[in-house]
Amino acid sequence: VTWSTGRVAIDSTFGVAIVGYTEGRLTRAVDRALRRLEGRTGITFVRDTAPRDTSRAQLVVRAGKAGMAVQGVEEDESYALDVGTRVTLSASTVVGVMRGLETVLQLVDADTAGYYLPGVSIQDKPRFPWRGLLIDVCRHFQSVAVIERNLDAMAAVKLNVLHWHLSEDQGFRVESKKYPKLHQLGSDGLYYTQDEIREVVAYARDRGIRVVPEFDMPAHSSSWFVGYPQYASAPGPFVIERAFGVHDAVFDPSRDEVYAFIDGFIGEMAPLFPDVYFHIGGDEANGKEWNANARIQAFMRTKGFKDNEALQAYFNQRLEKILEKHNKHMVGWDEILHPDLPHNVVVQSWRGQASLAQGAKAGHLGILSAPYYLDAMRSSEYHYGADPLPDSVGLAPADAARVLGGEVCMWGEIVTPETIDSRIWPRSAAVAERFWSASTVMDVDDMYRRLSVVSVELEELGLVHESSSARLLRRLVPGQHIGPLVTLVSALEPVNLGGRMNVNPATQLTPLTALSDAAVPDPRARREVAALVKTFLANPAQGGGYRAQLTGIFDDWREQRPGVTALAALSPAVREALPQSADLADLGTMGLEAMGYLAAGTVAPADWKARATALLERAQQRRAHMRFAVMEPMRALLLAARP
Amino acid sequence: VTWSTGRVAIDSTFGVAIVGYTEGRLTRAVDRALRRLEGRTGITFVRDTAPRDTSRAQLVVRAGKAGMAVQGVEEDESYALDVGTRVTLSASTVVGVMRGLETVLQLVDADTAGYYLPGVSIQDKPRFPWRGLLIDVCRHFQSVAVIERNLDAMAAVKLNVLHWHLSEDQGFRVESKKYPKLHQLGSDGLYYTQDEIREVVAYARDRGIRVVPEFDMPAHSSSWFVGYPQYASAPGPFVIERAFGVHDAVFDPSRDEVYAFIDGFIGEMAPLFPDVYFHIGGDEANGKEWNANARIQAFMRTKGFKDNEALQAYFNQRLEKILEKHNKHMVGWDEILHPDLPHNVVVQSWRGQASLAQGAKAGHLGILSAPYYLDAMRSSEYHYGADPLPDSVGLAPADAARVLGGEVCMWGEIVTPETIDSRIWPRSAAVAERFWSASTVMDVDDMYRRLSVVSVELEELGLVHESSSARLLRRLVPGQHIGPLVTLVSALEPVNLGGRMNVNPATQLTPLTALSDAAVPDPRARREVAALVKTFLANPAQGGGYRAQLTGIFDDWREQRPGVTALAALSPAVREALPQSADLADLGTMGLEAMGYLAAGTVAPADWKARATALLERAQQRRAHMRFAVMEPMRALLLAARP
C-alpha cells in the first residue's frame, strides 16, 4: 500500500468501464458493488445506456480471464488497485477483481466536500489460499437466507470457503433422492432441497467462494440411522438426538453394504457440490458401539486391528477410495490422522497448531480451526492473534507450505437464525484479515478501529449482528423502554459452550431468547472501559474528558438497577439477571468511589477494601449464562484504590 | 369477553390436547403457537411422546372440521375461548382455531409468580370477512422471505387476504411459462418462479390467509409490453419504467388477439392462484394511447362508444367473461365501476367510503382501501378511526352487506425489503382490529397501549419494523455513536408519497438508505410529547413526574445538535438534516423557556414571541423528505406562553 494525494470524487456521474475479459459473474459483481456504493452515499448513479469507455469512467476494471471453472485452492485472487485521477482495478481473474472491489468499498471516505476514494496504490494477494467459515446447520437449522447473507459477508471480508456442516446427531440437512429417509426422518422437516443446494453453491461461486460440504462419519451420525438403522453398529432404533455432546451412534466399518450405501450417497452428493474437496468429519467416534458389537470385534481380530483407531483408519481408507472414485479429495478432522492415512487427505485441526504441524510433517495438507471456535466466546483480539503458522511450530518451508489456511467455526448448539450473525460477526472479520494479510499486520487497536466500521457496513448485506441484541431485549419486555436492559447486557457477554452446558444444559429444543442470547461476545464496553481506566490510572489526579466518560458509564451502571428490577416484575425471564444487575450497580458505585479516593490521593477505608474484594469475587461469577466483560479493568481500578 | 378470576400457569409442563377433527394444518398451527410461547417465556416445554389427553393438557383444542378446501369469504373464522382451570379453545373450523390461538398468545401475562393466562371467556368472530393487506412488489421487488414474514404477521393480527400486486409499469413479477418474455424482459430478473408462488400460497393457506393476485390491466402495464409490444395501443418499443406515477402504456381493447393473449395468460395463472377472486386492476388508464390510435378510434365509433370509459367498460366485460371461463370472480379498482359492469364484479375503492357505497347500491360487492394507504404516512389513530361502513353513508342493510371489508395498501414506491416492515407495521395491526372488531371498539389510548406490545411481539416472526431504523442510522455513520441521530429522527416522520415526489422525486433506482428511510410514520414521540404537554398545560404551576420527563425530552433535543453536526462532517448523507437538527434544538430550547414562563405565570417578552412564531413556521416545513411529528403539541405549548 502506497498512499498518494490524489482523490476520486463519488458523485452521480460515478460509473464503471469493464475492459478486457468479461462475463456475467464479473458484471454482476460490479453491479452489486455499485448498488452498495449508492446505498452508502445515498447518491443515485446515472445509468448508462451504452458501456462506458475508460475516458468517462471513474472506475476501470480489467480482468485477465475467468479463473478456474471450479474454483480451487490454486485460484489466483491477487489484484492491483490504483486511485489517481481515476480508479484502476486489475486482476488476473474475475475472483481477483471481486477481492479488489471489496477493497474499493472499504476505501470510501468523506469530508465536507463529499464522498471520495483517497489516492492510493495497492498490490494485494492472500497469504493463505484456504480462508474458511464453518457453519453448522445441524444443531440448529439455518435457512438459505441466513446462509446467503453470510456468504455476502464472507465475500466482503475476502473469506473464500464455506464449510457447510450438513449432518449430525441432531439433524440431517440435505435432501437425498437416493436415500430419502435421510432427510425425511432425520431432519424434523428442516433440510435443504437439492435445488436449494445448487442455488447456494451458485450464489457462493458468484462471490468467489467455494462450498465444501461435510457429512460427518463414522460418528456424529444418529440422524442417518433414524431412517437407515441397518448401517449402524448397534441395532437401534435411533432418534434425532436433542442433547448436545458426543453420542454413541456410529457406522459399522465391518460390512461391505455400509460402504455400498456410503458410495451411493457420496455418488449422489458429488455433482451437487462441485468443489474438489469433500469433508467426511471423522471426529469423536467414542467406539462404545464398536466395543459392544461381537461381530465387529471379531472383524477387528480377523483384520488384526489393535484398537478402535485402527478400525477407524480402515474405515477412512475405504472412504478415501470411494471419494477418489467420485473425483473428490478427502478432508477430515484431527482424529483421522493415522499412519495408515493416505497422504492426499487434508487434515483439519481442531486441536491446535501443534497437531496441524504434526500432520504437515507427515505430508498432509492442513487447515487450522482450533483457535477460531466462535463458541469459545473469546475476543476478536484473541482470534486475531492466533496465527495458522506461528514461528513457534518451526516447520520447514516445504512442510509449512502444506498449511493451506484456516477456518472460523460456528458450531450450532446455541445459535438461532436470529443470533447466529452476532456470534459470527464482526469477530470473523478479524480472523479473515489474519488469513489474508501478512503475519506482521498485528496492530490490535487499529484492527478494532476498522472492525467497528466494517461491522456496521456488513449489515448492508442483510446481516443482523448489530441489530439482534435490541430486538431480543425488546421482546423480553414488550412495550417497555429497554434502556436499563441495554446498559446491563452491554457489560456482559455470553459464557462459552462449555459453561453453557455445565449449568442447566441447553438442548436443541431450548428457546434461545434469553438475556444471554441478547448479550454479544467481546462487547464494545470491554475495550471502552479498559481504555478509560488505563488512562485514568496513569494519572488519577489529572482532569480530562475521559474522566467524565468513565463517570458517565459508572452512573449508567448504577442507574440501570431500579429499571431492571421494575422490568423483572413484569417479565419473569428478566429475573435471572437480577444478581448481575445488582453487581453492576455496585461496580458503578465502587468504581466512582475508587476514582474519588485515587483522585484525592486518599486511602480507601478498611471496610471499603473488604467490600471491594467481596464485590470482585461476586461479580466474577457466571450467572444466567453470562459473565461480566469488564472485570479486568474494574479489578485494576478497585485494587488500585486499596493498595 | 367476560373476565374471571381463574388463571392457567405457563410452566415447563404446558401442553396441548387436540380433540375432535385434526389435520396437518392444525397441528402445525398448534406447534407454531407453542414455539412462540416458549420463545416469549424462555421455558422449554416437555415434549410428549404420545398425544396428551384432556386431563393432562393445559390447552384443549377442538376443531369441528377442516373448513373450506379453498378458503373463501364464507369461511367460518369464529371461535370460543375459555380460560378456567385449563384453556379450552373451540371452533367450527381449523381457521377458527388459528384465530383463537393468536388470542391465546395475546393473553399471556406475567407477575412475580411467573407467566400465566388470565381467566376469561371469549366468544369471537370477525365483523368483516375480507380483511386484507395489499403488497406491491412491482415498484420495488420483495423476496419470498419478506412476503412470508408479513404473512406470519398478518395471521398474528387476524388479517386473512394477501392482495399481491404483481404487475406494474415498473415490473412484472411472476414467471410465465406460456409467455416467458413477460418475466424475462419485464422484471430485471426480479420475479417469483411458479414454484415460489405455490410455496407462498401454501404458506398463506397454512395460516388461514387467502392470496388474491392482481395483474393490472389495461393500464399500469408497461412491463408486459417490453416483451409483447404487439398487445399495446402504441407501437412501442416499451421499457421497464423507472419513474413513478401514471404512464401511457395500455392494452389495445379493440383487437381479438389481445383477449386471446390475456385468456392464455389468465388460464396459466388461474390454477397457480386457487383463490376464487382475481384482481385485474383497472385503475388510472389515461387514454392517451387510445386517443392517438386511429384504428382504436375507428373501433370506438363502430361500437358507438362515446368515451374512453365506455371503451374500458367493454374491455372489462370481455375480461370478466375470460375470468368466468376460468372460474374466477373479477375484482377491480373504482374506475371499473360503470353501468355496463356485470354485477358479480367486486369493486375495490381507493376513492373512499362514498364511492364504495355507490358500488354497493349498484349491486356490487365492495372492499374499502381509501383510508388505509400506508404511503400517506398517517397515524395509526387516523387509520383506526376510518370505518369501512360509517353511519354517514346510510346504506340499507342489504346494500351494507355487500361491503365485504377492507384492505390496507402498501404501495411500493418508497420501500425496500429493509424498510417495508416499518411502513406496514405496527399501523396495520390497528386497522386489522378495525376490520375484525365491532365499530364501537374505539378507545384510541387503549389501542396504542396494546399496539406498543403487539408491535414488539410481531418481531418474533422475523419482521424488522422495530429494528430497521437504528440499522439504517448506524450505516449512515459507521463506527460512530448514533445517539444524536436517534434523537433527531425520533421526532420526525417521513413525508407522504405525494410530498416525496414533489421535491427531488425518487425513482425505482433511488437508494432508500437516507435519514427519511430511517424515520418511521407515527413515531412514539408524537404521542408522548402530546400527552406530556397536555398534562403540563392543564396546570403549568404544578409539579409532577411528567415535568421532568418533558424537560428531559427537550434537553435531549437541544443536545442532539452538536452531535448531529459532528456526524454530518463525517457523513455527507447526514448533512441534509442539519436544518431540522437546528430546528429541533430550538424547539427544545424554546419549549423549556415556555415551560418556565408558564410555570412562573410570567409573560414571555415580545422578542421571544416573535422568535417562537418564526420557529414554528420554520419547523413546519418539510425538509430532507421528513416533517416534525411533534408540531401540534409544540405549537400548543409555545402559543400558550405568548397569549
Side-chain angles (χ1 to χ4, degrees), chain A residues 38-44 47 110-115 418 452-453 456-457 459-460 462-464 466-467 471 474-475 478-479 481 509-511 513 528 569-573 575, chain B residues 38-44 47 110-115 418 452-453 456-457 459-460 462-464 466-467 471 474-475 478-479 481 509-511 513 528 569-573 575:
Chain A
E38 285 187 321
R40 285 191 199 177
T41 58
I43 300 167
T44 313
R47 291 327 194 252
D111 59 18
T112 50
Y115 292 97
E418 193 167 19
S452 70
V453 175
V456 168
E457 289 176 346
E459 277 207 342
E460 87 192 0
L463 296 157
V464 299
E466 295 266 353
S467 312
R471 265 175 86 92
R474 273 193 297 273
R475 297 220 310 274
H481 284 282
L509 306 177
T510 306
T513 53
E528 272 178 12
L570 301 169
S571 169
R575 217 167 295 157
Chain B
E38 285 186 322
R40 285 190 199 177
T41 59
I43 300 167
T44 313
R47 290 329 193 251
D111 59 20
T112 48
Y115 292 98
E418 193 167 17
S452 69
V453 174
V456 168
E457 289 175 346
E459 277 207 341
E460 88 192 359
L463 296 157
V464 298
E466 295 267 354
S467 311
R471 262 175 88 93
R474 273 192 297 272
R475 296 219 312 271
H481 283 282
L509 306 177
T510 306
T513 53
E528 272 178 11
L570 302 169
S571 168
R575 219 168 293 157

Side-chain angles (χ1 to χ4, degrees), chain A residues 165-198:
Chain A
H165 186 79
L166 289 164
S167 75
E168 256 304 338
D169 294 308
Q170 293 82 9
F172 192 96
R173 303 299 182 199
V174 179
E175 176 192 27
S176 169
K177 294 181 198 289
K178 201 172 169 83
Y179 304 109
K181 283 188 280 186
L182 285 173
H183 67 277
Q184 285 168 358
L185 299 183
S187 76
D188 299 303
L190 299 170
Y191 64 90
Y192 308 105
T193 65
Q194 297 201 355
D195 279 344
E196 287 173 327
I197 297 284
R198 275 184 283 268

